[in-house]
Amino acid sequence: MTITTRKRALGGLALLGASALVLAGCAAAPEEAPEETEALDFTPCIVSDAGGWDDKSFNEAALDGMEQAAAELGVEYVAVESADENAYEPNVQQLVDQGCDLIVTVGFLLAEATTNAAAANPDINFAIIDEFIDAPNVKPIQFNTVEAAFLAGYVAASYSETGVVGTFGGIPIPPVTIFMDGFVQGVDYYNSEKGTSVQALGWDLAGQTGAFTGGFAPGTEALTTAQGLIDQNADVLLPVGGPIYFSAAEAIRDSGRSIALMGVDKDIFVSDPDIADLVLTSVLKNIATAVYDVVTGAATGTFDSAPYVGTLENGGVGVAEFHDFESAVDPELAGELEALIAGIIDGSIEVTSPASPGQ
């Protein structure tokens, strides 16, 4: 467990509008007392899931939002990193004991710990990412990621030269499977529009079963799963589970083949320069902005329990640029994606998932 506290200073004391001048034959101009800016009495706190703050993805994005909010509010925040699932309950309780005014819990797996703490502490506000909890002091932060993942599946099918693409997840929970649902639907839509037969391995949309590593840590299981998809001729991989993409990148490098990697949550081309040359695009969840909005709202007295749901329409989800792959994708692809986005927003293109918020 790692605890981090940081303080962001306010603008400081107001400057005098003019210097006090002493003129010959005149009295000195009266000095005005500087106006002091009162420090905000507010402590926001955040706890990660087992992926940790350095996952270059989900947890890191949430921490980015907390840091930005704290900087602008001029307050200390407390960040606690969870080593594993057994740490969730005690970590949340530790933040309660420290007198936090708002506790942001990062991830579906913290739902039980958040529910229990919120019920026991009705005077403390909570926000949870990727889960709905019905309580007056809990704000759900959710994302209809299936929409953006659909675009990624379409991109993968368009880019693939082998006609095989693949996805795999960390744990079969809704915030993971929603990506896989959208990815496969995007591939299927590309096939129906283009008359192709690109295969999407790793996820059975109808059966809601697929390839999972059993956790959100890189390692042997993630490496083996990625290698299995590569061995089946996949030349685009979408690993869904924070840092498990580290192992996917390793498998790609070991293969010696031209295989593209897709990220999730953050634009991993930017967040992880070590693997930037492999990144075709990333499926974005605007977690940082959502956390920033919730934290600043709570600090200024506008906290409520109405769910925030990120969509293509409100900019809460999307896909990243193609970066180094710009010259390698179909020149018509950007225009096609714009049309797909418009169709998803107006409902003429149906994209669904059992894991969508409200389902």
Side-chain angles (χ1 to χ4, degrees):
M1 176 182 66
T2 303
I3 303 174
T4 305
T5 60
R6 300 184 185 179
K7 185 166 185 177
R8 304 298 193 218
L10 287 170
L13 303 180
L15 296 177
L16 294 177
S19 299
L21 301 178
V22 180
L23 302 178
C26 298
E31 294 186 5
E32 296 180 9
E35 295 180 12
E36 293 189 5
T37 305
E38 185 177 349
L40 186 64
D41 184 17
F42 178 75
T43 303
C45 301
I46 188 167
V47 54
S48 81
D49 72 8
W53 299 129
D54 294 327
D55 64 357
K56 312 294 185 186
S57 182
F58 180 69
N59 289 285
E60 184 178 87
L63 188 61
D64 288 345
M66 176 63 74
E67 289 181 335
Q68 183 186 0
E72 294 191 15
L73 294 168
V75 299
E76 282 190 0
Y77 72 88
V78 182
V80 180
E81 188 172 67
S82 301
D84 52 46
E85 294 185 25
N86 295 324
Y88 296 156
E89 197 93 33
N91 280 354
V92 172
Q93 185 58 49
Q94 181 181 0
L95 295 178
V96 168
D97 295 341
Q98 289 192 42
C100 297
D101 297 293
L102 170 71
I103 299 173
V104 179
T105 56
V106 186
F108 175 91
L109 296 176
L110 282 96
E112 182 177 358
T114 305
T115 299
N116 294 340
N121 301 276
D123 56 330
I124 298 175
N125 290 326
F126 293 80
I128 183 167
I129 299 172
D130 278 344
E131 176 61 320
F132 177 81
I133 295 175
D134 187 8
N137 60 331
V138 180
K139 187 172 188 71
I141 300 174
Q142 298 177 282
F143 301 86
N144 198 24
T145 327
V146 66
E147 297 177 345
F150 178 96
L151 303 177
Y154 189 94
V155 170
S158 173
Y159 174 80
S160 178
E161 295 183 353
T162 65
V164 181
V165 299
T167 183
F168 66 99
I171 299 174
I173 56 177
V176 171
T177 60
I178 192 171
F179 281 90
M180 301 166 85
D181 284 336
F183 183 78
V184 172
Q185 287 175 69
V187 173
D188 289 345
Y189 189 84
Y190 180 88
N191 286 334
S192 67
E193 290 293 297
K194 305 291 186 178
T196 53
S197 55
V198 178
Q199 290 182 272
L201 305 178
W203 182 241
D204 178 353
L205 184 63
Q208 292 285 294
T209 58
F212 295 93
T213 67
F216 294 128
T220 303
E221 195 65 37
L223 183 65
T224 301
T225 304
Q227 287 174 336
L229 294 171
I230 292 171
D231 289 344
Q232 295 177 74
N233 216 25
D235 63 354
V236 182
L237 296 183
L238 175 71
V240 185
I244 65 172
Y245 82 83
F246 298 166
S247 296
E250 182 181 352
I252 291 171
R253 298 234 190 262
D254 289 346
S255 74
R257 289 173 45 197
S258 178
I259 298 170
L261 178 67
M262 288 183 162
V264 298
D265 300 327
K266 293 186 75 172
D267 183 352
I268 61 171
F269 177 93
V270 176
S271 64
D272 192 351
D274 290 343
I275 51 86
D277 60 305
L278 303 178
V279 180
L280 173 56
T281 188
S282 295
V283 185
L284 305 177
K285 290 165 66 172
N286 209 345
I287 296 170
T289 299
V291 171
Y292 168 86
D293 287 346
V294 171
V295 173
T296 53
T300 55
T302 59
F303 178 90
D304 62 53
S305 60
Y308 166 86
V309 179
T311 64
L312 285 177
E313 186 170 15
N314 65 20
V317 299
V319 290
E321 298 176 9
F322 298 131
H323 299 296
D324 291 352
F325 280 75
E326 188 69 46
S327 62
V329 301
D330 186 333
E332 304 297 320
L333 186 56
E336 291 176 8
L337 291 181
E338 288 183 7
L340 292 178
I341 291 169
I344 293 169
I345 291 173
D346 68 24
S348 60
I349 299 175
E350 185 177 4
V351 183
T352 62
S353 171
S356 288
Q359 296 299 309

